[in-house]
Amino acid sequence: MIQTKLIPRTSEAFEPPMLIKNILAESLKYEPHREIVYRDLFRMNYIEFNKRVRRLANVLTGLGVKPGDTVAVLDWDSHRYLECFFGVTSIGAILHTVNVRLSPAQILYTMNHAQDNIVLIHEDFLPILNAIKDQLTTVETFVLISDKVYTDLNAVGQVPAGFVGEYEALLRDAPDQFDFPYFDENTWATTFYTTGTTGNPKGVYFSHRQLFMHTMSLLTYLIGYEALPFKSRTDVYMPITPMFHVHAWGFPFLATIMAAKQVYPGRYEPEMLLKLLVTEGVTLSHCVPTILNMLVSSPTAQKFRDQLSRWSVLIGGSALTKGLAKAAMDLGINITSGYGMSETAPILSVVYLNDSERTLPLDEQIDLRTRAGRIAPFVEARLMDDTGQFVAHDGQSLGEIVVRTPWTTQGYYNDDERGAELWRNGWLHTGDVASITPDHWVVIADRTKDVIKTGGEWVSSLDMEDVLSQVEGVAESAVVGLPDERWGERPYALIVQKPGYDLTAEGIKARLQSQIERGELHKWYMPDRILFVSEIPKTSVGKIDKKRIRAELKEQIFP
């Protein structure tokens, strides 16, 4: 950095740090009577929400939680989880959002690695806790979470020793006033764990400043630029991305600073999601393609076309195919894509249609809406080749996306080696191969580990999945590369077909062949084999698990 002249400071001047408590404070200024809803079981306004957050702070400090301690939460998406986003962090403690979809052994690893001090756990996850409790090395206290209020924990089955009470009962007896302190904005706020292709889950962590700045970017992009219509008095937000995964993409912080109506669905059930969508007037959600496909494919969806036409959905986590986008748009859903990763909090780009693009017919917008989006405000994104040299942003040249933002994680907790690999050459390496257009569109080609090298050509598994998604009767597809003595690798495709269709591998290949002959598709995009399956393996956060698919296919095809 260059040497500059800093501004002089008056000895009495105070520069407020960027803290999560400041996001909470905004929720009371303009629309304090808007609601926060949990399923069909609970609702409150922002006045009551702020009181409950302070009650939680009193409960935690009363239980001995100190600044720097780690509070683990295992819960469904709920108003309680939202309270923890603010109540835990605003006392200077660290919130560990535990991925409840990991295996018990992985959950045990993350809780010990994060050095959790206290655990807030929904009764649905007690069987997991009972299996690992004796192996937890740092946890001293447990609090039960339930949709019921238990004053006597003996009335709950499977509750082991160490529980001090039930969440709602503890909040009820706590004062609703708490003076959240000021502290350094670089204070550690949250931890969660992301799984990779090898090794144990990696601990990703963020400071108050990083989460504050990520919220400001979302505020600028989604509202200032209207990348999604999250701005009017009638907008209602419901996440369909787990709150344990990158803070539900940061949207709960955004919704809270705006005092928007928020709806939390608890356990993801298609019927409950659709019910809340209709009865609570939900207008904005975000999810992975798997969840959208589940909702769009539901027979019930057709009954709610009028309500769905008011719904905007941001897709991330995996590529949005043109086939799924068209199916959603046919139901009237305003569908767009975004791109990011756990280590980037996560937003790096979101689809933004400029004045000329938004006038295009919807069928011509699909290509744009299924891209990774335009680079978000305050994000510096470049393309880098294997030698560490930058690649031109000409819309054609490919390179790995590397980024710098005010909110990217600074490493992996207690894992310097993998942290250094993440931050090679002073840039955070995403592991995604892409092109970037001169007007800042990001077009993902593939994950570096998923690109298929066949016959000397690079073939994008995402492009192949996009082509297959447009075959009538295909509900879902996944493409991976497997070893081939002659060509190095060859693509193999898994397909889930829609009910009522009788697709064949030969029929799909014939369609692809006709596209090849018309010059619409490269010959290398013809899969060696097409296998029909009842479902495609997914990771704990709903992404296609290509590591598992490759392993299972290798065992099946090359025993």
Side-chain angles (χ1 to χ4, degrees):
M1 294 186 182
I2 64 171
Q3 292 295 319
T4 58
K5 186 175 182 179
L6 301 179
I7 61 170
R9 295 180 181 275
T10 303
S11 60
E12 297 298 320
F14 178 65
E15 184 176 4
M18 301 177 190
L19 299 177
I20 291 172
K21 77 165 190 171
N22 302 123
I23 294 175
L24 177 68
E26 295 301 313
S27 67
L28 286 174
K29 285 185 178 178
Y30 308 111
E31 299 288 352
H33 295 287
R34 286 180 177 165
E35 289 186 312
I36 297 171
V37 179
Y38 172 58
R39 292 175 78 88
D40 52 2
L41 300 174
F42 181 86
R43 60 182 63 235
M44 62 182 164
N45 61 26
Y46 276 92
I47 297 171
E48 181 60 24
F49 171 66
N50 273 262
K51 290 180 179 179
R52 284 174 59 89
V53 170
R54 285 168 168 77
R55 289 180 187 275
L56 174 60
N58 279 306
V59 168
L60 293 174
T61 54
L63 292 174
V65 176
K66 306 179 297 299
D69 285 349
T70 300
V71 179
V73 177
L74 294 85
D75 192 14
W76 305 110
D77 286 6
S78 71
H79 61 297
R80 299 173 296 251
Y81 223 138
L82 185 66
E83 290 158 6
C84 291
F85 274 27
F86 294 94
V88 173
T89 58
S90 293
I91 63 174
I94 301 166
L95 174 65
H96 175 198
T97 57
V98 179
N99 183 343
V100 296
R101 296 178 183 166
L102 295 177
S103 69
Q106 288 176 312
I107 290 175
L108 172 66
Y109 170 82
T110 64
M111 294 178 71
N112 283 337
H113 190 264
Q115 298 177 300
D116 296 338
N117 301 102
I118 182 171
V119 177
L120 282 57
I121 181 168
H122 193 283
E123 61 181 325
D124 287 354
F125 305 117
L126 287 177
I128 296 174
L129 178 63
N130 286 323
I132 66 174
K133 183 175 182 294
D134 292 341
Q135 302 173 69
L136 293 172
T137 56
T138 57
V139 178
E140 300 170 352
T141 306
F142 298 89
V143 172
L144 182 70
I145 292 174
S146 174
D147 290 342
K148 313 175 192 70
V149 179
Y150 291 105
T151 55
D152 180 9
L153 292 185
N154 292 323
V156 188
Q158 299 182 309
V159 176
F163 277 77
V164 295
E166 188 273 329
Y167 185 92
E168 291 294 337
L170 292 171
L171 255 62
R172 182 188 57 200
D173 296 335
D176 63 7
Q177 296 299 311
F178 191 98
D179 187 15
F180 290 121
Y182 279 104
F183 42 77
D184 192 303
E185 63 188 25
N186 294 301
T187 296
W188 191 343
T190 65
T191 300
F192 63 91
Y193 284 76
T194 179
T195 55
T197 55
T198 58
N200 288 315
K202 297 169 289 190
V204 179
Y205 50 88
F206 294 99
S207 69
H208 282 253
R209 182 182 188 277
Q210 289 171 322
L211 296 178
F212 187 97
M213 287 302 300
H214 184 265
T215 305
M216 293 304 103
S217 178
L218 287 176
L219 197 64
T220 302
Y221 204 33
L222 300 186
I223 299 169
Y225 288 98
E226 299 184 28
L228 279 178
F230 194 5
K231 57 182 175 56
S232 76
R233 296 177 60 84
T234 58
D235 276 326
V236 179
Y237 163 68
M238 180 174 73
I240 319 180
T241 302
M243 298 179 80
F244 66 69
H245 184 56
V246 209
H247 327 102
W249 300 359
F251 278 81
F253 292 121
L254 175 65
T256 301
I257 203 172
M258 295 176 60
K261 180 178 178 180
Q262 303 186 57
V263 179
Y264 288 89
R267 184 201 296 264
Y268 291 165
E269 300 162 338
E271 294 77 13
M272 177 57 69
L273 291 173
L274 287 169
K275 177 182 178 180
L276 293 171
L277 189 72
V278 174
T279 59
E280 301 297 339
V282 174
T283 61
L284 174 65
S285 298
H286 49 80
C287 63
V288 296
T290 305
I291 298 294
L292 180 65
N293 186 59
M294 176 184 71
L295 292 171
V296 168
S297 302
S298 170
T300 312
Q302 294 293 338
K303 301 177 183 178
F304 299 114
R305 292 182 64 92
D306 290 343
Q307 290 85 355
L308 291 174
S309 65
R310 300 196 302 264
W311 194 31
S312 295
V313 182
L314 177 67
I315 294 296
S318 299
L320 171 64
T321 64
K322 293 183 179 66
L324 180 55
K326 185 176 186 306
M329 291 168 68
D330 286 345
L331 287 169
I333 300 170
N334 177 21
I335 192 80
T336 52
S337 294
Y339 165 68
M341 57 190 297
S342 297
E343 293 82 350
T344 63
I347 300 295
L348 293 174
S349 63
V350 177
V351 166
Y352 168 74
L353 302 178
N354 62 27
D355 291 344
S356 60
E357 292 162 344
R358 69 184 62 180
T359 62
L360 295 171
L362 282 179
D363 60 340
E364 294 182 32
Q365 291 182 17
I366 286 182
D367 177 63
L368 298 174
R369 288 171 179 260
T370 53
R371 292 182 179 183
R374 276 191 163 104
I375 299 169
F378 317 125
V379 173
E380 187 179 3
R382 303 290 297 271
L383 299 175
M384 188 176 285
D385 65 19
D386 292 340
T387 68
Q389 301 299 307
F390 290 123
V391 175
H393 293 187
D394 55 15
Q396 301 295 324
S397 303
L398 294 177
E400 182 188 5
I401 302 175
V402 295
V403 297
R404 293 169 173 165
T405 80
W407 53 79
T408 41
T409 190
Q410 297 299 292
Y412 296 119
Y413 177 50
N414 201 23
D415 193 341
D416 293 341
E417 182 177 345
R418 288 199 285 188
E421 177 68 14
L422 178 71
W423 273 100
R424 300 187 307 278
N425 304 313
W427 290 81
L428 186 144
H429 287 249
T430 66
D432 291 309
V433 177
S435 62
I436 299 177
T437 69
D439 53 350
H440 311 295
W441 281 99
V442 178
V443 183
I444 304 292
D446 219 331
R447 293 288 294 171
T448 53
K449 60 181 178 290
D450 293 331
V451 174
I452 302 167
K453 185 69 176 291
T454 180
E457 299 286 340
W458 290 104
V459 173
S460 166
S461 66
L462 300 182
D463 284 351
M464 291 190 67
E465 289 161 6
D466 192 52
V467 169
L468 291 169
S469 77
Q470 298 173 67
V471 175
E472 186 176 1
V474 171
E476 208 174 1
S477 65
V479 176
V480 298
L482 293 182
D484 184 271
E485 290 185 2
R486 182 179 181 186
W487 303 113
E489 282 187 316
R490 289 294 298 145
Y492 287 68
L494 299 184
I495 286 180
V496 177
Q497 62 180 330
K498 296 178 181 178
Y501 284 84
D502 189 19
L503 301 176
T504 65
E506 293 74 17
I508 293 175
K509 285 189 174 185
R511 173 184 167 129
L512 298 180
Q513 184 59 39
S514 66
Q515 290 180 269
I516 292 170
E517 292 172 357
R518 293 195 302 269
E520 299 171 358
L521 201 63
H522 197 285
K523 67 178 182 178
W524 296 112
Y525 279 59
M526 177 69 76
D528 265 23
R529 288 181 62 179
I530 295 175
L531 298 91
F532 291 93
V533 294
S534 58
E535 61 178 349
I536 289 173
K538 305 292 195 310
T539 67
S540 63
V541 292
K543 300 180 184 180
I544 295 175
D545 191 343
K546 295 193 175 180
K547 174 188 174 184
R548 177 180 162 190
I549 292 171
R550 278 190 291 265
E552 290 180 354
L553 283 179
K554 282 181 182 178
E555 185 175 335
Q556 175 183 342
I557 297 171
F558 309 116

